[in-house]
Amino acid sequence: HYSGLEEAVYRNIQACKELAQTTRTAYGPNGMNKMVINHLEKLFVTNDAATILRELEVQHPAAKMLVMASHMQEQEVGDGTNFVLVFAGVLLELAEDLLRMGLSVSEVSCIVIEGYEKACKKALEILPELVCCSAKNLRDVEEVASLLHTSVMSKQYGNERFLAKLIAQACVSILPDSGHFNVDNIRVCKIVGAGISASSVLHGMVFKKETEGDVTSVKDAKIAVYSCPFDGMITETKGTVLIKNAEELMNFSKGEENLMDLQVKAIADSGANVVVTGGKVADMALHYANKYNLMLVRLNSKWDLRRLCKTVGATALPRLNPPTLEEMGHCDSVYLSEVGDTQVVVFKHEKEDGAISTILIRGSTDNLMDDIERAVDDGVNTFKVLTRDKRLVPGGGATEIELAKQITSYGETCPGLDQYAIKKFAEAFEAIPRALAENSGVKANEVISKLYAVHQEGNKNVGFDIEAEAAAVKDMLEAGVLDTYLGKSWGIKLATNAAVTVLRVDQIIMAKPAGGPKPPSGKKDWDEDQND
């Protein structure tokens, strides 16, 4: 039985534990998928923690703290969101054990929080010593693909080699000389049909659109981009024209046709042979575009239009004026193609160092392709992290067990009560290999005892072997299971901050309308004379 304040702390911890348990079973390559139906009744089938949390409407304020920490990890690193949730959840669970041992709420605040913060600082000091290798050349597709395996494997176990190679090709092809890599420059286009193995990489952009006119292929394209409709100018005010005979009617429409003809001819004379428009295409304008052999592509999305301008180096014009050479974009070829039974327009750059690459994903269902897209996003984000910091630490629970071992030793050297919290912090690291083992259907205690035994001998890189049928361990560096150093350090930092913030809270005060009777609504016509 708890007092009022202890009850509040206990409830907060309970809410966070339940949230962490939801995503814990989805951890690792053998993690279970979740079916999430969001508020719009859209169905998601995934084991990606970031997606699960984004679509869940978490109501409890304390659990929201964990969700925020997870979102921060997503923004900072782009991967490792589940690690933050699982680790923060276990930290709170172990803090609850200290609460049960008889510590008061104020003691928990002082001792546990102080101990966790000390242990977190120590963990971040130890982490650089655990770096097992670094990326040597980020322009080598084979090396980059091997470094992306682990990130992709957690979402698409079995397809990781194929997908990692695709992602590596796309990322390396657009990595600028400055080394500032932009995640938005990798586009994903999903087309139903065939299988994952039919996916490919294209240098340039792919749109699920058809061309508007008769011309469907242009080599050495010079592209004019307009953000306005491809139509004649319309006056802002309405005008009335009185037509007395047939000749006047003919002349009236002829004047409009001549004007349209001149406008399209001026565009063609400027050297442009492809026109991309952000609005509707008028029938008359289409007729003249065909007459002057202009290829017409209509993109409804302003975002797509902006990205295309960046890819081909064009400037989007707000009016149908002929573009200058500086405003025109250039591209090796633009053509209409058919992928499966879907018409696509491809803006292709033959040279490797294009500004944008597109990964064309094929799959049997939309849900499957969405999940592959999430795996691609994680792979691309991992590449970006490697451009910032090339250091890598062993995966498969190796780093966690080594941290747990060293922090336990550190806890024993600390005087005072906070050593209990430091040891609990070390114990929390066991949750990662434990989750991997449980999700693989192996006895977790057996795996953890084997890992500790091997690490005591000084083998820092040994982690859990998920491919073995029994509880087995192997060298993660040799197996190529590697995590980014930045992802791990941010994860530990954010999870500890979230757990400490929840433990600091002893009351949740929600502003709600005061109780009591509601004011009378009164009659509608209260100000009118009653005698009328």
Side-chain angles (χ1 to χ4, degrees):
H1 293 284
Y2 299 100
S3 69
L5 291 181
E6 284 174 343
E7 185 69 38
V9 173
Y10 180 68
R11 278 185 186 158
N12 290 353
I13 292 173
Q14 202 60 36
C16 296
K17 268 167 59 182
E18 282 173 21
L19 180 65
Q21 192 56 43
T22 307
T23 56
R24 187 174 173 172
T25 52
Y27 193 84
N30 292 327
M32 300 296 286
N33 280 351
K34 308 287 176 193
M35 264 191 182
V36 183
I37 298 163
N38 69 1
H39 63 292
L40 300 172
E41 297 194 2
K42 189 180 179 201
L43 175 72
F44 295 85
V45 182
T46 181
N47 65 351
D48 179 35
T51 308
I52 295 167
L53 290 181
R54 192 170 56 246
E55 300 306 330
L56 278 180
E57 290 185 30
V58 179
Q59 294 293 332
H60 197 282
K64 271 187 183 171
M65 301 299 300
L66 294 201
V67 176
M68 283 177 190
S70 187
H71 283 327
M72 275 306 300
Q73 175 79 354
E74 177 71 14
Q75 285 170 10
E76 196 62 45
V77 182
D79 196 9
T81 46
N82 208 344
F83 171 81
V84 173
L85 264 180
V86 171
F87 189 51
V90 175
L91 284 176
L92 290 165
E93 199 174 322
L94 296 171
E96 186 190 351
D97 291 349
L98 293 172
L99 197 67
R100 287 178 192 279
M101 279 165 59
L103 293 175
S104 69
V105 172
S106 54
E107 284 174 323
V108 166
S109 302
C110 297
I111 296 163
V112 178
I113 290 169
E114 199 177 314
Y116 276 4
E117 284 174 345
K118 268 189 190 175
C120 176
K121 194 177 173 188
K122 185 69 180 170
L124 295 174
E125 283 173 21
I126 298 167
L127 202 57
E129 298 166 19
L130 306 185
V131 172
C132 60
C133 67
S134 291
K136 293 177 186 69
N137 179 14
L138 290 180
R139 295 190 185 278
D140 177 6
V141 173
E142 291 300 326
E143 186 189 341
V144 171
S146 68
L147 300 177
L148 300 182
H149 275 174
T150 315
S151 174
V152 178
M153 194 192 278
S154 62
K155 307 283 179 297
Q156 284 292 319
Y157 187 37
N159 301 317
E160 71 275 1
R161 289 189 185 283
F162 175 72
L163 287 174
K165 186 92 181 280
L166 280 187
I167 298 164
Q169 284 171 357
C171 292
V172 170
S173 70
I174 63 157
L175 179 63
D177 296 331
S178 62
H180 294 302
F181 178 76
N182 186 357
V183 178
D184 289 338
N185 291 346
I186 302 283
R187 281 193 87 247
V188 172
C189 184
K190 297 174 288 190
I191 296 174
V192 176
I196 295 175
S197 55
S199 303
S200 58
V201 174
L202 279 166
H203 303 297
M205 295 188 81
V206 179
F207 297 102
K208 281 201 275 186
K209 293 276 175 193
E210 291 187 37
T211 54
E212 296 289 324
D214 297 340
V215 185
T216 56
S217 175
V218 172
K219 287 265 193 302
D220 188 25
K222 293 178 179 61
I223 305 161
V225 181
Y226 294 100
S227 56
C228 60
F230 197 62
D231 195 356
M233 295 299 289
I234 301 162
T235 53
E236 287 184 17
T237 54
K238 285 185 179 177
T240 307
V241 180
L242 185 64
I243 294 171
K244 292 176 180 168
N245 52 41
E247 193 182 339
E248 284 182 4
L249 180 60
M250 292 286 285
N251 289 339
F252 176 72
S253 59
K254 200 170 279 178
E256 196 181 357
E257 284 171 23
N258 291 343
L259 190 65
M260 194 76 246
D261 189 358
L262 286 170
Q263 276 183 318
V264 177
K265 187 174 187 301
I267 293 169
D269 289 345
S270 69
N273 49 16
V274 178
V275 174
V276 179
T277 175
K280 67 178 181 16
V281 178
D283 291 341
M284 194 191 300
L286 184 60
H287 164 74
Y288 286 113
N290 289 337
K291 178 181 171 184
Y292 292 109
N293 272 339
L294 290 177
M295 183 177 182
L296 256 179
V297 181
R298 178 181 167 196
L299 297 178
N300 294 340
S301 161
K302 285 181 182 174
W303 177 234
D304 280 346
L305 208 65
R306 212 176 302 159
R307 267 203 167 149
L308 179 67
C309 286
K310 188 178 177 185
T311 310
V312 299
T315 306
L317 301 173
R319 298 178 62 179
L320 277 187
N321 296 336
T324 61
L325 279 172
E326 290 77 32
E327 290 166 339
M328 257 190 282
H330 298 274
C331 179
D332 291 326
S333 59
V334 180
Y335 58 91
L336 180 69
S337 180
E338 197 171 294
V339 180
D341 60 351
T342 308
Q343 300 279 344
V344 294
V345 176
V346 182
F347 289 79
K348 195 167 187 180
H349 274 289
E350 297 297 341
K351 58 180 189 296
E352 291 289 304
D353 57 343
I356 284 187
S357 259
T358 301
I359 297 176
L360 195 67
I361 293 176
R362 305 299 310 280
S364 50
T365 65
D366 287 328
N367 270 329
L368 176 69
M369 290 193 297
D370 287 344
D371 220 27
I372 296 167
E373 185 182 9
R374 286 188 274 272
V376 168
D377 281 346
D378 278 0
V380 172
N381 278 307
T382 303
F383 182 80
K384 183 177 182 182
V385 169
L386 287 172
T387 61
R388 285 162 54 193
D389 190 331
K390 294 183 177 181
R391 289 177 291 176
L392 293 145
V393 292
T399 305
E400 285 79 9
I401 287 290
E402 187 60 30
L403 283 169
K405 188 192 93 179
Q406 294 199 31
I407 291 170
T408 305
S409 308
Y410 167 67
E412 282 164 4
T413 64
C414 294
L417 283 172
D418 55 4
Q419 64 169 292
Y420 292 110
I422 292 170
K423 285 180 184 172
K424 289 288 185 192
F425 189 91
E427 193 186 321
F429 278 115
E430 292 176 12
I432 301 303
R434 189 180 291 277
L436 286 171
E438 285 170 359
N439 293 344
S440 303
V442 177
K443 287 177 183 170
N445 289 342
E446 205 176 317
V447 170
I448 285 168
S449 59
K450 277 189 180 179
L451 284 172
Y452 270 126
V454 177
H455 279 253
Q456 288 296 347
E457 293 165 14
N459 300 319
K460 291 181 181 178
N461 297 339
V462 174
F464 169 55
D465 181 6
I466 61 162
E467 286 167 354
E469 289 180 14
V473 294
K474 68 177 176 183
D475 191 304
M476 292 289 118
L477 181 56
E478 286 173 15
V481 179
L482 303 165
D483 286 332
T484 57
Y485 169 82
L486 266 187
K488 199 67 82 182
S489 67
W490 271 106
I492 293 169
K493 223 181 296 181
L494 289 167
T496 310
N497 285 350
V500 164
T501 309
V502 172
L503 288 172
R504 281 191 204 278
V505 174
D506 68 348
Q507 276 184 317
I508 295 173
I509 304 164
M510 291 184 76
K512 283 192 174 174
K518 289 188 168 67
S521 55
K523 289 181 184 173
K524 236 179 185 178
D525 311 318
W526 58 273
D527 58 340
E528 286 187 8
D529 196 344
Q530 297 295 320
N531 300 327
D532 282 358

